[in-house]
Amino acid sequence: MTDLHELDAHDLAATIAAGEASCVEVTRHFLDRVDGETLGAFVTVTPERALERAAAWDAATVRPPFAGVPTAFKDLTPTAGVRTTMGSTLMADHVPDHSAYLVDLVEAAGFVSLGKTNTPEFGLSSYTDNDVVGPARCPADPERNAGGSSGGAAAAVAARLLPLAPGSDGGGSIRIPASCCGIIGLKPSRGRVGAGPDSPTWSGLATDGVLARSVRDVAAMLDVLARPTPGASRVWPAPAVPFAEEARRDPGRLRIATWTDPYLDFVEASPGSVAAVAAARESLVALGHEVVEIPNPWPAELEPQFNVIWSAGMASVPLPPEAHGALRGTTRYWYERGGRATAPELAAALTFLELTTGRVNAELAGYDLFLTPTLALPPQPHAWFTESGDPAEDHRRELLFTPYTALMNMSGQPAMSLPLHEHDGLPVGVMLAAHVGGDALLLQVANQLTR
């Protein structure tokens, strides 16, 4: 019999349904693996809570499809009765009294949470490190960072501590760690996943998504999450056909645009990133698709406008002055930078992003999908981002690392990182994106490439 941790969520659910393992047995198996992990994947582990929920599913006469399948929630996601630190020592003892909408949806589907996965302070970085538990490590090379900000979730899934995990993505925070850890990461279309009544979506940048090892697990979790939030006005309706079914369909022959040059002229794609796209292009052509190389269509002027919105979001957090000294350097950098932005500057930045990304996508209407590297560099050593001690240099290095992913947050397009390549023994992801609303098409081609 295959070890339980080698199974994806679908096969684990089938194993439980067939009576080959109970929900409690599966939960104990994964808790034992988490107990010995050295990757910094978790901030908090909740064995008693997990076993209690597993036992309840074992006793239930009617169970949802994924009853007893383990997962965990990112430590940015409020979870009732469970410590939720946001990766910050300022919130090291914070225990929410109610859960995010995402938690309710995932738990209603039967998944059993083992705890909270690691994230950088307030999710601001493309690498995962904090002063609560330290860095999340790349399973392929623990001396390198797992990426961020869903780095703990990605490390846990890659190391078989979990079959899948939800994450959140405001500038690449699902796709970046998915690439670093060699798994699949999906950021859905803007509005596809409702944020819930406690999570404002004024900037349109961030959304919840999923990290997993199989496309069918990604599609199934998207079905769990793609439910309109009560009272929300900026969401898609639940799909008429489940994404799990759509993902198995043939997409037909598609026209796919590809580029590898970053949109910032001081950034260069590494040989591994270029090679990964070349290999993916060959696979797509072999599948019958037309792949056309084009210049990078995105203007560099987007980057400073994105920074106005990103920093303003951080500056809106009501922190007392005495708390500023407890923030990590890069968090304080964004907090102070956002505090200097004026209301007209923020409005102008939001307008620029909306008009510019809309124009670019109108010009790309003749293409169905877009293929690029996920990252410009492979997973980096933990200290590489912060070794200068200068937060502005930290930011510059993050741009050198990840100049592709945030564009899809600016535009609202669905995008996935796929683990199709390795270079020098390290995973290198490629990013596929579709037009807004094209989540099903994206899953279909991802399924073609990974099966």
Side-chain angles (χ1 to χ4, degrees), residues 131-142:
D131 294 331
V132 180
V133 296
R137 302 177 183 276
C138 172
D141 181 355

Side-chain angles (χ1 to χ4, degrees), residues 110-137:
F111 290 98
V112 173
S113 173
L114 306 188
K116 307 304 291 291
T117 55
N118 202 358
T119 186
E121 189 168 49
F122 298 113
L124 288 174
S125 302
S126 59
Y127 58 94
T128 295
D129 196 0
N130 57 52
D131 294 331
V132 180
V133 296
R137 302 177 183 276

Side-chain angles (χ1 to χ4, degrees), residues 40 65 76 78 96 121 168 177 184 214 265-266 279 283 285 343 357 382 399:
L76 297 183
E121 189 168 49
S168 56
I184 302 168
S214 68
D265 59 11
F266 62 90
S283 296
V285 170
T357 59
H382 298 291
L399 292 175

Side-chain angles (χ1 to χ4, degrees), residues 5-8 157-158 160 162-163 183-184 211-215:
H5 56 270
E6 294 294 342
L7 304 177
D8 72 356
V157 172
R160 275 56 174 180
L162 300 169
I183 60 171
I184 302 168
L211 299 110
R213 299 194 307 271
S214 68
V215 171

